[in-house]
Amino acid sequence: MQYISTRGQAAKIGFCDVLLAGLARDGGLYVPENWPTLDTAPNANYANRAASIMAPFVGDEIDRNVFGQLCADAYSTFRHPEVAPLVEIGPNEYLLELFHGPTLAFKDVALQLVGKLFDHVLTQRNQRVMIVGATSGDTGGAAFDGVASCRNVDLVMLYPNNRVSDVQRRQMTTIMSPNVHAVAIDGTFDDCQDLVKAMFNDQKFRDANQLSAVNSINWVRVMAQVVYYITATEKLGRSAVFSVPTGNFGNVLAGWIAKQMGASIEGFVVASNTNDILTRFFESKKLIANEVVPTLSPSMDIQVSSNFERLLFEMNNRDGLATAKQLTSFRATGNLDVAQSVYQQWISGVFVGRRCNDEQTLATMQDVYQQSGMLIDPHTAVGLSAGRQSAGVDYPKNMPMITLATAHPAKFPDAVRRATGQTPQMPEHLADLMTRPERSVSLANDLQAVQAFVAGCRN
Ligand SMILES: *Cc1c(COP(=O)(O)O)cnc(C)c1O
């Protein structure tokens, strides 16, 4: 399997190069040359099923048995034997629980595997990389946990000082492995992201320090998320709609790929909080960026969803130059229009957008608690509310609706307490998280200072 860039200018490369490159040199995102067809049999073991679903994407670059073992290792860190259990909560209403990994958010499903893959590929190539990234929340902890035991990876993660939750910060700062570094930047998340971009755009620095990325535009993260859409429909034994709490559009794009491969999926409810650029797009065929508003579901407080580029590329019949032109104009004007015929072909009947504000989020959390005694996190609540708005309107009421439960309630205890009066219990392996010693560095919002720090972290 070869990979091409959504902007049409970068050379084709194979799976292992895509893993290490993250972003293509032409600024585009890598996608496989074609979507493979699902032709393997269901398997009750999640890791085995994952290996067979992902095999066509890996191609012959990693031995089939080795890849199977990497999947087994990655998913052995999950606390639930099914890894991603499907839980019925009402008539035709299900939660797909994706938070049983080490850092309690669905990002573990991809980043546990990404860590194992980096370790394997870099050992084979006798190479070492420096991963740099910025986090506004869940990615930081999941990336730390994913690569803390990698022998050939150093990781520097920038986060905005005093702007991530205590749990999220501690999931980075309490990991003492010498190859991972949490850096508090005196600035906002956007400042952190700009610093990372500037380091990547400095070709000399980038090459000298072997920079690499694990943010959500990395193809391997999307690929690992395709799996649970397929295992969920196989467990259900009939076709379903998925409601997906959405930020960067990575998770819902993975679902769309599962559908392309032949999974029995009717369609997707793209669930947004007050930052509803995608909902407005699905209503108006126009993508128009606004200011970011902070909400109770911070991992979805995003205006420009980077993975949407992969869908745009499909909507342009895989014309990379047209996609690049469209995105350049979007950056300049904050505005992107899609023709009616294109919308009909790619969006109608597949995606609907629904939004849920903080008040509705709390009401949904309270309702689930009263109905079933179950605590859900605010991101999951946005998805559930959106799915409920859509059921019986966009889809028949008797169609199963599966909401992706993207975080454990203990990750967002303040919102859970506000909605239900209950304090969610931290899983045992993190019970002493709030009293563990912390290790972190503070730096000014200054490129030179950050570059000097990164260079000094190389082992
Ligand atoms: C990252 C995240 C999301 C958003 O997922 P995308 O792939 O960016 O759309 C939703 N919920 C939680 C808890 C997250 O951490």
Side-chain angles (χ1 to χ4, degrees), residues 105-107 138 225 245-251 299-300 377 379 406-407:
F106 85 97
K107 292 185 170 72
D138 297 330
Q225 293 168 198
T246 299
N248 261 324
F249 205 73
N251 210 358
S299 299
M300 299 161 65
D377 104 285
H379 303 79
T406 50

Side-chain angles (χ1 to χ4, degrees), residues 72-103:
D73 291 347
Y75 297 116
S76 70
T77 63
F78 280 61
R79 297 180 309 284
H80 197 289
E82 289 178 53
V83 179
L86 186 66
V87 177
E88 189 170 3
I89 59 167
N92 294 307
E93 203 168 55
Y94 299 81
L95 292 182
L96 182 61
E97 294 185 349
L98 302 175
F99 52 70
H100 295 287
T103 72

